[in-house]
Amino acid sequence: MATREVLILLVFLVLAGADAARGFYLPGVAPRDFRKKDQLAVKVNQLSSIKTQLPYSYYSLPFCRPDTIVDSAENLGEVLRGDRIENSLYVFEMREPRLCQIVCKTALTHQEAKDFREKIDDEYRINMILDNLPLVVPIRSLLDDHDAPTSYQLGVHVGIKGQYAGSNEEKHFIYNHFSFLVKYHRDEDTDLARIVGFEVKPFSTKHEYDGDWKENKTRLKTCDPHSRRLVVDSDSPQEVEASKEIIFTYDVNFEESDIKWASRWDSYLLMTDDQIHWFSIVNSLMIVLFLSGMLAMIMLRTLYRDISKYNQLETQEEAQEETGWKLVHGDVFRPPARADLLCVFVGTGVQFLGMLLVTLLFAILGLLSPSNRGGLMTAMLLVWAFMGVLAGYAAARLYRGFRGSEWKTVAMKTALAFPGAAFAVFFVLNALIWGERSSGAVPFTTMTALVLLWFGISVPLVFVGSYLGFKRMPAAATEDYPVRTNKIPRPIPEQPWYMNPVMSVLIGGILPFGAVFIELFFILTSIWLHQFYYIFGFLFLVFAILVVTCAEIAVVLCYFQLCGEDYEWWWRSYLTAGSSALYLFLYAAFYFFTKLDITKVVSAVLYFGYMLIASGAFFVLTGTIGFYACFWFTRLIYSSVKID
């Protein structure tokens, strides 16, 4: 009955995951209804660039600014992402189109003009928000296919580089006119409307006017709805020059849409390449299933033959003539070197495994709404902190099986080792971001909150879990291995070259990485190229394939190792699956040089620093999966043979 319930739950998660892959989510925030002429306040977010990966505040450039700048409330994830949400001078009235609205007029200093040119060179984008929807630029298909879905670029570029006709000199032009389009869904009974889309088309135009400039009274010659002159192209662009005035303007139009509020994110999250995801997953799944079938047949037939033969031996002389994994029964559960460190690594891996399972469960059930910016990162940090109890329990339970007594030391190392190393790298990277005066630098108050989350929640829970695992668990649950350990270690015979520890470890990481590297490409693209990623259904399937693959390869290589009478399998089982992290980091380097256009040294250091942390987390995760698979396997086979 339990197996049936597990299968039903698995099928439900896969189906929910498929819905999530198509953009399923629970909105997560209450909808806002707007009457005609209700005020719509546009908020501005960070300036972002895929070339530098260094976000800046919107008002770090001399854009039009209100008299008082108000920061919106932010969660922990938003701060870590570098989001800085502030008010702006872009204010609309619901369902009231406006043309040629003047925001402000400004003249750039030499330094301000230089800053604009640098941001245009680095392809920075302006990010705005209306009713919790991000501003997007619609991009039509180049094939002129009317049935092809429209893709969206998140944010609008600050400007563009180009040349005047007949000149080869490259100039910088600023986008100073925005044509906004607000899509809404109207209730016919109440005439209330909800916003379901926020799009923009940018233009660069050199505005002109007659006479002296008068605030709120000057009419532009280049954009005047009364004379039917509108900005529809960038034929006369506004160049970025010092001491030359720039006039910022905008249009806003409203369009009724059939899209309902609960589905307004679907077009943003639309995947034009979902067939690639399905193909990659089916391909990986078929390979894994094929290998699983082959390996299962070989392992089961071989193990069944070995166990039957070992159990039929009648004399001590016959047993002494046998070779293989049974001969190391007196050493197979001998505690390894640096057993305490292995316990720390296993406990940390259990913590990450629990965090991923819970976060993915919430995500594929649609509980992490994309409208809640930073929600995913906040959830991962909180769940990771609370999973400290599992980390302490797993580390202490394994340590007790090794007949250890210093469980408090192991608990302290589990609570501090990986988080401390990751925090040290993060602190150095944050210092580099501070040096660039980027808004992505985490403030001191947020750093303090992270430390409190670590030492106030995670560390105490690690000790609680360690106490439960070491003191409260019955001794028989951890110390009764299927066979007794000899007092004198058995000598290990010389191994063939292909069973060399380095060789087997490197080979072991190829298959797990091969099962996930295609989805890894999309994850890296969403992070470093600032694209939407909400295909947690695919991610769940890939994660399941990863778990199975890590367990399989670790068990197979462990069996070959024991057949070679090498009983030092503890660390190797961990490193076999964990070595896939090495291939992940190498692939990240390949992605950096082939897909990204990062030129700044600081940005490159940030990329490799964050990928180093990600690779470390992947190492302890996959290593722990491989270790527990081998631990279960060795207990299973040695409990199946008769040993005097």
Side-chain angles (χ1 to χ4, degrees):
M1 185 66 180
T3 304
R4 181 183 177 185
E5 293 174 352
V6 170
L7 290 175
I8 293 175
L9 177 61
L10 181 61
V11 171
F12 172 73
L13 290 177
V14 171
L15 293 177
D19 285 337
R22 292 191 295 268
F24 166 79
Y25 71 98
L26 301 178
V29 293
R32 292 185 59 188
D33 295 318
F34 296 95
R35 299 183 183 276
K36 193 172 184 179
K37 293 189 176 183
D38 279 355
Q39 189 178 82
L40 304 177
V42 177
K43 297 181 180 180
V44 292
N45 199 349
Q46 58 174 256
L47 303 175
S48 59
S49 168
I50 61 176
K51 293 185 67 175
T52 68
Q53 303 296 332
L54 293 171
Y56 287 90
S57 169
Y58 175 79
Y59 294 114
S60 63
L61 290 179
F63 289 115
C64 306
R65 61 174 60 204
D67 295 332
T68 303
I69 298 177
V70 181
D71 293 336
S72 300
E74 299 171 338
N75 59 42
L76 182 60
E78 280 185 295
V79 178
L80 294 177
R81 280 161 35 103
D83 289 343
R84 300 293 182 267
I85 302 174
E86 298 160 322
N87 58 322
S88 73
L89 290 176
Y90 294 96
V91 181
F92 313 148
E93 289 184 349
M94 186 64 178
R95 294 156 59 187
E96 290 290 327
R98 292 288 184 268
L99 300 176
C100 302
Q101 297 296 296
I102 299 175
V103 185
C104 74
K105 178 178 71 73
T106 184
L108 302 180
T109 65
H110 287 281
Q111 182 60 45
E112 290 172 343
K114 179 183 177 182
D115 292 340
F116 263 116
R117 285 192 288 266
E118 288 179 352
K119 294 298 185 291
I120 294 174
D121 284 336
D122 291 332
E123 299 179 5
Y124 270 86
R125 299 178 189 174
I126 300 169
N127 294 281
M128 297 183 179
I129 299 170
L130 177 63
D131 191 35
N132 223 21
L133 272 181
L135 178 69
V136 293
V137 178
I139 301 176
R140 301 291 180 182
S141 174
L142 297 177
L143 301 178
D144 197 24
D145 185 358
H146 296 288
D147 296 330
T150 302
S151 59
Y152 295 96
Q153 170 192 286
L154 185 61
V156 56
H157 284 102
V158 173
I160 191 173
K161 291 190 293 184
Q163 300 167 342
Y164 288 113
S167 174
N168 294 326
E169 184 179 1
E170 192 171 57
K171 299 289 186 178
H172 295 78
F173 304 102
I174 186 173
Y175 285 133
N176 61 328
H177 180 87
F178 291 152
S179 180
F180 295 106
L181 175 62
V182 179
K183 296 182 178 180
Y184 64 92
H185 181 79
R186 186 174 63 90
D187 189 308
E188 295 181 357
D189 297 330
T190 62
D191 200 40
L192 297 175
R194 295 175 178 176
I195 296 175
V196 296
F198 186 33
E199 302 176 5
V200 69
K201 291 182 180 179
F203 300 98
S204 177
T205 181
K206 189 173 183 179
H207 286 302
E208 298 176 356
Y209 58 92
D210 292 326
D212 297 330
W213 179 267
K214 295 181 181 179
E215 198 72 29
N216 299 325
K217 294 183 179 180
T218 301
R219 290 175 60 174
L220 301 175
K221 296 167 56 178
T222 50
C223 188
D224 186 0
H226 298 89
S227 59
R228 298 185 179 181
R229 290 182 60 89
L230 302 177
V231 179
V232 294
D233 54 46
S234 300
D235 290 343
S236 180
Q238 175 66 58
E239 185 180 347
V240 178
E241 294 180 286
S243 304
K244 296 295 182 66
E245 63 183 25
I246 300 176
I247 300 175
F248 291 90
T249 57
Y250 71 90
D251 302 332
V252 57
N253 289 289
F254 293 85
E255 178 183 291
E256 188 169 358
S257 173
D258 294 331
I259 300 175
K260 295 184 178 180
W261 184 87
S263 305
R264 64 179 186 167
W265 278 87
D266 288 0
S267 57
Y268 288 55
L269 305 175
L270 179 66
M271 297 175 300
T272 58
D273 52 4
D274 55 347
Q275 292 184 352
I276 299 176
H277 288 274
W278 282 118
F279 175 77
S280 66
I281 286 179
V282 171
N283 183 57
S284 299
L285 192 60
M286 292 302 294
I287 294 175
V288 170
L289 291 177
F290 177 71
L291 291 176
S292 299
M294 283 185 27
L295 296 175
M297 183 175 61
I298 295 173
M299 297 290 292
L300 290 177
R301 290 185 60 184
T302 305
L303 279 175
Y304 180 78
R305 183 188 61 197
D306 289 348
I307 293 172
S308 300
K309 182 166 57 176
Y310 289 151
N311 288 337
Q312 291 174 1
L313 295 178
E314 297 179 354
T315 66
Q316 185 70 19
E317 291 76 11
E318 289 178 323
Q320 291 177 353
E321 292 176 1
E322 288 299 323
T323 61
W325 55 268
K326 184 184 178 183
L327 288 184
V328 296
H329 66 84
D331 299 276
V332 70
F333 293 108
R334 186 180 303 280
R338 298 304 306 272
D340 57 337
L341 187 60
L342 178 62
C343 297
V344 170
F345 275 78
V346 170
T348 304
V350 169
Q351 188 172 12
F352 274 104
L353 182 61
M355 178 198 73
L356 280 178
L357 286 176
V358 173
T359 306
L360 277 177
L361 178 63
F362 286 152
I364 65 178
L365 293 179
L367 300 179
L368 293 177
S369 169
S371 62
N372 183 15
R373 288 174 305 278
L376 178 62
M377 185 175 294
T378 303
M380 291 179 67
L381 287 173
L382 291 176
V383 173
W384 177 85
F386 284 105
M387 286 296 152
V389 65
L390 296 183
Y393 182 84
R397 177 171 181 171
L398 183 61
Y399 185 66
R400 183 172 179 176
F402 291 148
R403 277 57 168 187
S405 58
E406 300 294 330
W407 68 273
K408 294 180 181 179
T409 303
V410 172
M412 181 62 70
K413 292 180 180 179
T414 304
L416 300 180
F418 185 89
F423 187 82
V425 175
F426 176 74
F427 185 84
V428 173
L429 297 179
N430 194 62
L432 294 176
I433 300 175
W434 267 112
E436 295 293 322
R437 299 182 180 180
S438 168
S439 65
V442 178
F444 176 77
T445 53
T446 306
M447 295 285 277
T448 305
L450 289 175
V451 173
L452 290 177
L453 185 67
W454 179 13
F455 285 95
I457 298 179
S458 180
V459 173
L461 287 179
V462 170
F463 274 90
V464 170
S466 298
Y467 178 79
L468 295 176
F470 194 87
K471 293 288 188 180
R472 291 298 182 183
M473 192 176 58
T478 55
E479 298 177 1
D480 284 352
Y481 291 126
V483 292
R484 294 190 299 269
T485 301
N486 297 332
K487 294 183 178 180
I488 301 176
R490 178 187 180 89
I492 300 176
E494 184 177 356
Q495 301 295 308
W497 66 270
Y498 53 85
M499 288 306 297
N500 179 276
V502 176
M503 180 66 68
S504 61
V505 165
L506 292 178
I507 292 176
I510 295 177
L511 191 58
F513 172 76
V516 302
F517 85 97
I518 296 180
E519 196 64 28
L520 180 63
F521 169 82
F522 293 100
I523 295 175
L524 292 178
T525 299
S526 68
I527 295 174
W528 299 108
L529 295 184
H530 301 172
Q531 297 182 7
F532 292 111
Y533 186 90
Y534 205 71
I535 47 177
F536 295 107
F538 289 120
L539 193 59
F540 173 76
L541 296 177
V542 170
F543 180 71
I545 293 174
L546 175 66
V547 171
V548 173
T549 309
C550 288
E552 282 181 351
I553 194 66
V555 166
V556 170
L557 292 180
C558 179
Y559 173 74
F560 290 153
Q561 180 182 353
L562 294 177
C563 288
E565 301 179 23
D566 183 357
Y567 52 83
E568 294 179 345
W569 61 273
W570 299 93
W571 273 108
R572 198 183 297 189
S573 64
Y574 195 99
L575 297 175
T576 295
S579 64
S580 56
L582 173 63
Y583 297 101
L584 185 149
F585 189 79
L586 293 177
Y587 180 78
F590 170 79
Y591 185 88
F592 176 85
F593 290 108
T594 59
K595 298 299 180 181
L596 300 181
D597 192 22
I598 293 177
T599 55
K600 289 189 175 182
V601 175
V602 172
S603 303
V605 173
L606 290 177
Y607 176 85
F608 284 103
Y610 286 129
M611 291 311 302
L612 180 64
I613 296 176
S615 299
F618 195 72
F619 169 74
V620 295
L621 171 68
T622 54
T624 299
I625 296 172
F627 171 81
Y628 274 117
C630 290
F631 191 49
W632 166 82
F633 174 73
T634 52
R635 289 178 65 98
L636 178 65
I637 62 174
Y638 284 99
S639 62
S640 302
V641 295
K642 299 177 182 178
I643 298 175
D644 296 332

